[in-house]
Amino acid sequence: MTLAVVRSRGLSGMTAPEVTVEVHLANGLPSFTLVGLPDTEVREARERVRAALQNSRFDFPTRRITVNLGPADLPKESGRFDLPIALGILAASGQLPGGALDAFEFAGELSLSGALRPVRGALAMAYAVTRSASPRAPRGFVVPRDSADEAALAGGLPVHPARTLVEVVRHLRAAAGEDDGVAIPVHAAPARPAPPRYADLIDVKGQTAARRALEIAAAGGHSVLLVGPPGTGKSMLAQRFAGILPPMSTDEALESAAVLSLVGQFSPQRWAARPCRAPHHTASAVALVGGGSPPMPGEISLAHHGVLFLDELPEFERRVLEALRQPIEAGTVTISRAARQVDFPARFQLIAAMNPCPCGHLGHRTIACRCTPDQVARYQDRVSGPLLDRIDLRVEMASFTEAELGRLPDGEPTRAVAARVREAFERALRRQGTPNDRLDGCGLQAACTVEGEARSLLHAATVRLGWSMRAYHRVLRVARTIADLAGTADVGARHVAEAIQYRRALRAR
């Protein structure tokens, strides 16, 4: 047989389209040609595959070899196609039974010795395969041993881990019924690690308003802006926020892990742990939102189902912050390039922190602010009104002296706060099937009806403060969450009043 067909998987955003690796041997001067939009890493597979076959004691055919990676309009990147190309050459040259190839898909990078190296995106590929619309039972998935734990977490897909090219060939010979074959057993999913541990809120003394705001945010999926002088505990609170979030569901854990797998940052030991991303304020728009060639997820996608903490918010470039406006609303981000367009999930909770002024001491109890009103205004204007409009809770942090901190009791532990959050979160899911922050117009009208004093209070605040309809609806969602935490079915005036307090403007001089 001079033609062999091997199945593999590419990566295009969160999807993993099937890639058909076709290998044809023809007479003529010896050559090795790769077609089908391969990038540099894929084109270099020619030398890796040649050396791996020879060092594994296989014959490398001295013929004209043409490898086509289809579909032709899908860019192919990384070394994951080394293994299917090598197997296609062996099958086309008669060294491997080609009939056994149809029952499997392959992905793996080859070393020159024939050993298999792990590939980036193993879980993302397996996750996409198990959730494809095809009614056909999934083929077996042969991957490097070091990528097997990742791929097996997707479930519903027989994963076969291999250490070398020789092991894969023996497995295929066993599948074809040949006597010298040795089958590779299906890899069992690794044991789920213990629940993740986070820093405890008990370490935070005082800051009652900020702790309350974080509890509301965790219960309803809202975003928070913490404003206060340096050293008041803004970063400390943000680092403990993930610990009070409801536990991740299996689907959420898989989605989060699949995104991290795209950039090689997932570890099975971090299974079901809320991702917490804290990019530096010098990060570019591409680093934050995603991009590049091929398009890769940015920090907002790597924080999917987790926390994105932006410290020193006004220090970020204005255009970088403006890029957050659409993902905060939509929960997804679309990266468009001339030849490609990919979608990445970006359902994150934004926790932002900033000083009230350039020197940081505006409102400090013992240190005088030395900034002029114009300097304060310019500093605060670095965060645009449309972005602030999308942040549900804005909290001013109080400053304490050393003596005052010493007299304050320990804060409430994370365990107690998380229990209240989980109860309120589950109450919202039972009522409407989604967290309060994701309620659309019709869902908000059904779940959050305000009457009498509550309606009058909300109307008066909207008129007096000049709120947009977005702000109006966001206050309603926050009030709904406050009512859930209180265990009440109706949204009352006290819930609306507390929600209004969190829409306060930044302190001016």
Side-chain angles (χ1 to χ4, degrees), residues 201-486:
L201 275 173
I202 199 171
D203 302 328
V204 181
K205 296 185 176 183
Q207 305 299 355
T208 305
R211 292 170 61 99
R212 171 66 173 171
L214 291 184
E215 183 176 338
I216 295 169
H222 308 291
S223 50
V224 183
L225 173 62
L226 303 175
V227 184
T232 52
K234 301 186 295 293
S235 299
M236 193 175 185
L237 280 168
Q239 292 163 0
R240 285 153 176 77
F241 179 69
I244 64 175
L245 290 173
M248 298 178 80
S249 67
T250 300
D251 285 344
E252 288 177 340
L254 278 172
E255 288 180 13
S256 173
V259 178
L260 292 170
S261 174
L262 292 175
V263 294
Q265 294 186 18
F266 172 69
S267 168
Q269 288 72 36
R270 294 289 297 165
W271 171 259
R274 297 275 183 183
C276 300
R277 310 292 299 188
H280 192 260
H281 61 257
T282 56
S284 66
V286 171
L288 198 64
V289 177
S293 181
M296 297 295 287
E299 292 290 342
I300 63 173
S301 295
L302 299 178
H304 184 52
H305 292 311
V307 181
L308 178 68
F309 177 45
L310 300 184
D311 199 7
E312 305 295 347
L313 188 67
E315 301 299 334
F316 284 82
E317 288 188 24
R318 179 70 171 259
R319 65 183 186 89
V320 173
L321 293 181
E322 296 306 295
L324 293 175
R325 286 158 54 176
Q326 183 268 340
I328 289 176
E329 294 279 341
T332 62
V333 60
T334 300
I335 308 298
S336 297
R337 295 293 179 264
R340 300 183 70 177
Q341 178 176 301
V342 298
D343 296 324
F344 292 111
R347 185 67 67 183
F348 59 92
Q349 281 197 247
L350 174 64
I351 306 295
M354 62 178 285
N355 297 327
C357 66
C359 77
H361 299 304
L362 179 63
H364 199 283
R365 296 175 56 189
T366 58
I367 305 177
C369 174
R370 59 177 181 270
C371 303
T372 67
D374 284 346
Q375 288 175 323
V376 174
R378 284 196 300 269
Y379 182 78
Q380 295 183 357
D381 285 346
R382 294 180 187 176
V383 184
S384 69
L387 179 59
L388 279 176
D389 204 36
R390 289 166 167 81
I391 298 179
D392 301 319
L393 307 167
R394 307 167 195 168
V395 186
E396 291 188 5
M397 304 279 288
S399 58
F400 297 99
T401 64
E402 181 183 358
E404 290 171 334
L405 276 178
R407 291 193 296 267
L408 289 173
D410 289 339
E412 191 176 15
T414 290
R415 182 179 63 258
V417 180
R420 292 196 300 269
V421 165
R422 184 171 185 175
E423 184 178 349
F425 183 80
E426 291 175 349
R427 183 177 292 112
L429 291 185
R430 288 193 299 268
R431 181 180 59 247
Q432 67 224 10
T434 185
N436 292 326
D437 186 58
R438 302 183 200 174
L439 284 171
D440 56 17
C442 294
L444 185 60
Q445 186 176 2
C448 190
T449 302
V450 290
E451 301 292 347
E453 185 182 354
R455 175 176 290 277
S456 300
L457 181 60
L458 187 57
H459 173 73
T462 303
V463 173
R464 182 174 180 181
L465 299 176
W467 285 345
S468 66
M469 288 308 298
R470 177 189 290 114
Y472 176 87
H473 287 149
R474 285 189 173 274
V475 168
L476 268 182
R477 294 187 185 102
V478 172
R480 177 66 268 177
T481 301
I482 294 171
D484 287 337
L485 283 167

